[in-house]
């Protein structure tokens, strides 16, 4: 077992606090503590409950028809849930299928655990839609778990409920597990998927307060499943990592979730407006193209190769010369002509950010264009 840093997080480390405009982040624009109106006075700063505060678990369970708080374990971000799930279900050498592109941790954790990780690619030419027949053909008797993320980061790709049910049928027929990352489930505009874990005991739902609620800094996520034995394993693993949750984070999450419908309705309106703006921007260009992200707050556009511009030069110029944050495709083990574009910020920030992309590209095109030979005078 060996862990290495994620290229994506190294990129964040280098630039995220150095920029003025962020059009690369994968979440609704972060809230500040005072905006939340949380009163933490009197909160006992003792160790929390190992599986998470009971009232928080109950509240989270409301979104999973048929579940109680006992089907939910609260973790330090969806990341810890992913780590615990993979550690509970997989041992070195196990076959694991992970959707790609994706948040890198989804495949880096099983790789670090020594699993035989196979990537299930979402293709641009297929509008980043999962090819379910292909997925089915990848599953072997050794496949321990299939890990999918929809709405997807970074592509914004969705599946329909029918597709999700078909995937679950395949999972059940093959006696494997589905880890369904539904961190963006509530940031949808046309239809919302049911939480996948209510559909089968072979499914584990993973979610988080980070993306749809704009509070990644509290580091609070959860896993939900019908499988009580697995929940017991997750508890044993999380005890070894963090013992319990941060009690302040749990209090904040409770407060935010108490008013979630209002918060989500406002956020969805804003995100939809932002996405439409970006879509119009893309449609007007002959140097960029994207697959319209059906849900979530990110898309994965690409610079057309016909521009002749080196994509790394472009992304570095955007961030270093124009103080605007996006994320190069290589951070997702993808063709570097792609970059992640997040539209979770306020519209003004997005407009300036896209103007800066335009300026950076114009600058590089000028540098690349053949110069007139200056003849010596006389
Ligand atoms: C799809 C997806 N799932 C899970 C996570 C983990 O996030 P967190 O640990 O903040 O919940 C991320 C983070 O970027 C993500 O993009």
């Amino acid at each position: 077992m060996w862990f290495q840093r994620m290229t994506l997080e190294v990129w964040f480390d280098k630039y995220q606090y150095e920029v003025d405009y962020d059009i690369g982040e994968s979440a609704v624009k972060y809230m500040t503590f005072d905006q939340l109106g949380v009163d933490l006075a009197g909160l006992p700063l003792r160790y929390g409950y190992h599986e998470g505060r009971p009232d928080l678990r109950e509240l989270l369970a409301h979104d999973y028809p048929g579940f109680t708080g006992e089907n939910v374990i609260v973790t330090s971000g969806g990341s810890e849930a992913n780590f615990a799930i993979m550690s509970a279900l997989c041992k070195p050498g196990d076959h694991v299928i992970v959707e790609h592109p994706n948040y890198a941790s989804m495949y880096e954790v099983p790789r670090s655990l020594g699993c035989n990780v196979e990537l299930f690619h979402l293709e641009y030419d297929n509008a980043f839609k999962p090819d379910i027949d292909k997925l089915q053909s990848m599953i072997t008797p050794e496949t321990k778990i299939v890990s999918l993320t929809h709405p997807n980061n970074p592509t914004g790709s969705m599946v329909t409920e029918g597709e999700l049910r078909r995937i679950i049928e395949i999972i059940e027929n093959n006696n494997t597990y589905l880890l369904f990352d539904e961190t963006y489930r509530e940031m949808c505009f046309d239809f919302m998927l049911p939480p996948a874990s209510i559909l089968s005991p072979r499914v584990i739902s993973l979610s988080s307060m980070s993306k749809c609620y704009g509070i990644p800094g509290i580091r609070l996520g959860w896993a939900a499943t019908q499988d009580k034995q697995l929940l017991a394993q997750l508890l044993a693993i999380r005890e070894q990592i963090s013992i319990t949750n941060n009690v302040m984070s749990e209090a904040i999450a409770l407060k935010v979730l108490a008013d979630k419908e209002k918060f989500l309705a406002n956020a969805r309106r804003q995100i939809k407006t932002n996405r439409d703006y970006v879509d119009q921007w893309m449609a007007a260009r002959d140097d960029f193209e994207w697959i319209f992200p059906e849900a979530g707050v990110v898309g994965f556009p690409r610079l057309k190769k016909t521009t002749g511009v080196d994509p790394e030069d472009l992304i570095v110029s955007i961030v270093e010369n124009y103080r605007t944050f996006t994320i190069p495709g290589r951070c997702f083990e993808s063709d570097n002509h792609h970059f992640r574009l997040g539209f979770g910020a306020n519209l003004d920030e997005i407009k300036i950010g896209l103007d800066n992309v335009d300026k950076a590209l114009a600058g590089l095109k000028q540098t690349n264009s053949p110069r007139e030979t200056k003849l010596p005078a006389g």
Side-chain angles (χ1 to χ4, degrees):
M1 193 200 298
W2 192 253
F3 293 89
Q4 51 186 359
R5 291 207 64 196
M6 289 183 272
T7 324
L8 173 79
E9 300 299 342
V10 172
W11 180 265
F12 264 94
D13 243 9
K14 187 166 180 192
Y15 291 119
Q16 73 170 328
Y17 284 106
E18 305 300 323
V19 293
D20 298 325
Y21 310 101
D22 186 350
I23 54 167
E25 185 51 274
S26 59
V28 168
K29 186 73 182 178
Y30 59 80
M31 310 280 288
T32 59
F33 188 68
D34 48 312
Q35 282 176 308
L36 300 176
V38 187
D39 182 4
L40 295 183
L43 181 74
L45 296 179
R46 57 185 289 189
Y47 282 108
Y49 291 84
H50 295 85
E51 293 152 295
R53 219 173 121 160
D55 48 356
L56 178 58
R57 290 167 71 205
E58 282 302 327
L59 191 58
L60 292 170
H62 283 169
D63 282 339
Y64 300 76
F67 280 16
T68 69
E70 292 195 352
N71 295 100
V72 177
I73 179 166
V74 184
T75 52
S76 174
S79 308
E80 190 188 33
N82 176 48
F83 188 91
I85 294 162
M86 286 296 173
S87 307
L89 292 176
C90 304
K91 50 183 194 323
D94 281 346
H95 184 231
V96 172
I97 297 173
V98 185
E99 195 168 64
H100 173 270
N102 210 328
Y103 180 55
S105 196
M106 307 313 286
Y107 41 80
E108 289 296 0
V109 167
R111 277 178 186 163
S112 301
L113 294 173
C115 300
N116 165 20
V117 175
E118 211 181 334
L119 298 180
F120 166 54
H121 297 287
L122 304 177
E123 307 287 355
Y124 186 95
D125 291 342
N126 195 30
F128 291 131
K129 292 284 181 194
D131 177 343
I132 300 175
D133 292 334
K134 173 85 193 334
L135 177 64
Q136 187 167 21
S137 73
M138 288 170 72
I139 297 176
T140 74
E142 276 71 51
T143 308
K144 269 290 165 62
I145 186 161
V146 174
S147 168
L148 306 178
T149 302
H150 290 280
N152 178 264
N153 172 15
T155 65
S157 154
M158 263 298 254
V159 288
T160 62
E161 182 175 339
E163 287 165 335
L164 176 60
R165 285 181 184 275
R166 187 171 161 225
I167 292 167
I168 292 174
E169 200 182 311
I170 295 169
I171 293 292
E172 287 180 337
N173 290 343
N174 285 278
N175 231 14
T176 182
Y177 283 93
L178 173 65
L179 166 56
F180 201 65
D181 182 339
E182 46 200 34
T183 311
Y184 292 97
R185 190 177 74 91
E186 292 174 303
M187 195 45 64
C188 55
F189 312 103
D190 306 317
F191 64 93
M192 184 154 65
L193 289 171
S197 54
I198 65 166
L199 303 176
S200 165
R202 305 297 298 190
V203 182
I204 309 108
S205 290
L206 181 148
S207 197
S208 169
M209 294 300 290
S210 296
K211 309 298 179 183
C212 297
Y213 296 93
I215 48 174
I218 72 166
R219 311 301 308 122
L220 193 133
W222 63 95
T225 175
Q226 299 175 31
D227 185 337
K228 295 276 172 70
Q229 263 183 334
L230 176 60
L231 281 161
Q233 270 294 296
L234 299 183
L235 173 61
I237 293 165
R238 83 79 42 98
E239 269 179 10
Q240 299 292 352
I241 307 171
S242 49
I243 312 179
T244 74
N245 297 299
N246 174 325
V247 292
M248 292 180 287
S249 302
E250 291 191 319
I252 295 170
L254 267 170
K255 168 80 173 136
V256 171
L257 288 170
D259 216 5
K260 67 179 266 176
E261 288 315 328
K262 192 166 145 219
F263 179 87
L264 286 173
N266 287 336
R268 282 191 196 112
R269 208 172 309 116
Q270 179 66 58
I271 301 298
K272 200 165 188 259
T273 306
N274 296 351
R275 184 186 61 169
D276 289 347
Y277 180 85
V278 180
D279 193 44
Q280 280 164 17
W281 189 89
M282 289 287 167
R285 308 212 50 118
D286 58 7
D287 35 24
F288 293 105
E289 58 191 346
W290 83 339
I291 302 292
F292 183 71
E294 277 180 87
V297 304
V298 288
F300 207 39
R302 66 184 180 190
L303 172 70
K304 289 192 184 166
K305 292 190 176 158
T306 47
T307 56
V309 168
D310 181 323
E312 186 73 13
D313 288 349
L314 175 64
I315 296 297
V316 170
S317 173
I318 292 169
V319 71
E320 293 194 348
N321 300 329
Y322 296 94
R323 303 185 63 78
T324 299
F325 189 71
T326 63
I327 300 182
R330 64 179 170 78
C331 292
F332 295 92
E333 299 188 11
S334 292
D335 178 342
N336 217 23
H337 285 81
H338 283 281
F339 57 100
R340 185 171 78 191
L341 208 150
F343 38 90
N346 64 55
L347 189 54
D348 286 342
E349 188 170 350
I350 292 168
K351 285 181 177 172
I352 298 172
L354 289 175
D355 277 354
N356 288 341
V357 170
D358 187 37
K359 286 180 195 157
L361 182 59
L364 286 168
K365 276 182 177 164
Q366 225 166 33
T367 323
N368 281 359
S369 65
R371 304 214 175 123
E372 284 175 21
T373 322
K374 285 201 177 125
L375 296 172

